């Protein structure tokens, strides 16, 4: 599957956005306040965003929840329905642009769109490309029992199971190894 630079950026953004949500009531919210939202926007180089407010923060948290539902969708039809609703509500307006040193690419958000609509349109379209390509199963949640972080499996054989093989994957492999050794030792 060919993934363009802007689609890859949108995928990274949506994964990071979903992963800002607290995993339980005790965990902190990665978008705790407007400053955290501004940091998120800056670190992901989200363009054409004005001054952010509490209204923006609430709206982004709502779309974050909707994106999380897409990653948990049981099938392509369910994911497509959710993506269609999200993108339509954002008022998409596809247009070609070549800003900030990047070659021509497509933005799907309307000029002057809120940060939530911007993210819903661009990230929603990036996810839509996966559904169209028959690759919805690549939108995954980590299989580690104590982790549910979202990720996009870009491995050739669709075999990635953990959000990060160095943390979740390695931790589970070490635990399984130790359990086998303990069982063998009797």
């Amino acid at each position: 599957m060919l993934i363009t630079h802007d689609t890859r950026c949108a995928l990274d953004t949506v994964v990071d956005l979903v992963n800002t949500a607290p995993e339980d009531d005790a965990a902190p919210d990665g978008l705790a306040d407007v400053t955290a939202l501004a940091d998120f926007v800056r670190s992901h180089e989200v363009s054409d965003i004005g001054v952010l407010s509490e209204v923006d923060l609430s709206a982004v948290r709502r779309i974050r929840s909707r994106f999380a539902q897409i990653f948990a969708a049981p099938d392509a039809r369910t994911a497509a329905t959710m993506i269609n609703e999200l993108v339509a509500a954002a008022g998409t307006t596809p247009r070609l642009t070549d800003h900030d040193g990047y070659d021509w690419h497509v933005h799907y958000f309307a000029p002057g769109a809120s940060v939530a609509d911007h993210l819903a349109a661009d990230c929603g379209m990036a996810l839509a490309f996966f559904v169209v390509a028959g690759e919805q199963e690549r939108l995954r949640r980590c299989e580690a029992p104590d982790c549910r972080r979202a990720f996009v499996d870009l491995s050739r054989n669709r075999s990635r199971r953990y959000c990060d093989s160095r943390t979740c994957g390695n931790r589970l492999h070490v635990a399984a190894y130790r359990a086998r050794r303990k069982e063998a030792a009797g």
Side-chain angles (χ1 to χ4, degrees):
M1 175 176 184
L2 175 67
I3 301 174
T4 62
H5 175 266
D6 51 315
T7 299
R8 180 58 193 257
C9 290
L11 289 172
D12 291 344
T13 300
V14 72
V15 164
D16 289 348
L17 177 63
V18 169
N19 290 335
T20 64
E23 291 187 30
D24 57 43
D25 293 336
D29 190 322
L31 294 178
D33 53 30
V34 175
T35 301
L37 177 59
D39 290 343
F40 181 88
V41 166
R42 188 173 25 265
S43 69
H44 289 85
E45 298 179 349
V46 180
S47 60
D48 297 332
I49 300 299
V51 176
L52 298 171
S53 68
E54 289 291 332
V55 171
D56 292 311
L57 179 60
S58 294
V60 169
R61 285 178 177 163
R62 279 192 302 278
I63 65 152
R64 174 181 69 185
S65 174
R66 295 192 62 198
F67 279 128
Q69 293 170 354
I70 293 167
F71 275 84
D75 54 58
R77 182 165 306 284
T78 304
T81 299
M82 290 188 277
I83 292 168
N84 284 339
E85 291 169 358
L86 191 65
V87 170
T92 57
T93 306
R95 62 190 167 95
L96 288 168
T97 183
D98 66 341
H99 63 87
D100 298 330
Y102 294 108
D103 204 359
W104 290 105
H105 59 283
V106 179
H107 280 189
Y108 294 95
F109 60 92
S114 70
V115 65
D117 285 346
H118 179 134
L119 292 170
D122 273 3
C123 296
M125 289 304 299
L127 297 178
F129 295 142
F130 274 76
V131 173
V132 168
E135 301 285 355
Q136 181 261 334
E137 75 275 1
R138 289 182 182 269
L139 309 177
R140 296 192 175 164
R141 291 292 193 151
C142 185
E143 290 183 18
D146 58 342
C147 179
R148 295 301 300 149
R149 292 178 59 85
F151 68 94
V152 178
D153 179 2
L154 297 177
S155 66
R156 285 183 184 213
N157 62 358
R158 298 175 188 90
S159 62
R160 188 170 161 197
R161 297 173 43 205
Y162 307 108
C163 63
D164 185 345
S165 61
R166 282 181 243 132
T167 54
C168 289
N170 190 46
R171 190 169 32 83
L172 287 174
H173 288 116
V174 168
Y177 172 78
R178 288 181 180 158
R180 286 191 307 272
R181 297 271 303 182
K182 184 177 180 180
E183 186 177 305

